[in-house]
Amino acid sequence: MSFSDELFDKQSYLAHAIMSCDDPIEIRKLFNEFFFCVFQWYDLFAPHKVANKLNTLHFSFAMFLETSGIADAAVTHGGRVPPTIDSVARVFRLFPPLRIYCEEHFLNGGVIGALKYGASYPYGHDVVIPALKLINE
């Protein structure tokens, strides 16, 4: 198994651990470990890019949303089972930076996220928007 495969497997394991975590301290530790793996993966495949803090943040959260199944084409097209709205809302409550990132990308047509990061999400609206509404009730 290559190093990149090991990193991807670890990212997948950590994303699923995050989605089932109930502890705010543990979830921060899991996210820190996930981000560390993402940074290693980014360095491996994009050494020519000089990442600023905003790009690195966007790349890290984008990797999490895809790996966890929250915003993933395979989920949208029926290839994977999506996470529940309750589990996504729980992660948003326990890790506010992810909630804020998703609010920027999924509310109001994703205008803030598109302007701030230069991208918006075609997938995940069916899970993220109800989860954001659930935590804001």
Side-chain angles (χ1 to χ4, degrees), residues 3-131:
F3 182 61
S4 64
D5 289 340
E6 289 177 24
L7 285 174
F8 188 78
D9 287 349
K10 188 169 185 179
Q11 289 171 21
S12 182
Y13 166 79
L14 290 167
H16 293 287
I18 289 167
M19 291 305 295
S20 61
C21 185
D22 294 2
D23 183 330
I25 294 169
E26 183 64 24
I27 204 167
R28 289 183 196 290
K29 290 178 186 176
L30 290 168
F31 262 111
N32 284 338
E33 194 171 347
F34 181 86
F35 291 153
F36 181 71
C37 285
V38 169
F39 297 151
Q40 287 180 308
W41 194 88
Y42 186 82
D43 286 341
L44 189 64
F45 290 103
H48 61 283
K49 294 183 180 178
V50 177
N52 65 34
K53 187 175 180 181
L54 210 54
N55 287 344
T56 305
L57 178 72
H58 172 63
F59 183 76
S60 301
F61 282 135
M63 285 293 288
F64 175 75
L65 292 175
E66 183 175 341
T67 307
S68 66
I70 294 172
D72 183 14
V75 168
T76 301
H77 299 298
R80 278 177 50 185
V81 177
T84 65
I85 292 168
D86 289 337
S87 67
V88 175
R90 183 182 66 247
V91 172
F92 288 166
R93 279 189 202 99
L94 294 172
F95 197 70
L98 180 64
R99 177 188 49 80
I100 293 165
Y101 176 84
C102 286
E103 286 174 345
E104 291 175 345
H105 278 280
F106 291 93
L107 297 181
N108 301 316
V111 172
I112 294 172
L115 291 173
K116 191 172 181 180
Y117 302 99
S120 62
Y121 288 90
Y123 308 110
H125 294 82
D126 52 339
V127 175
V128 173
I129 292 174

Side-chain angles (χ1 to χ4, degrees), residues 130 132-137:
L132 289 170
K133 287 180 181 177
L134 185 64
I135 65 170
N136 289 324
E137 288 179 346

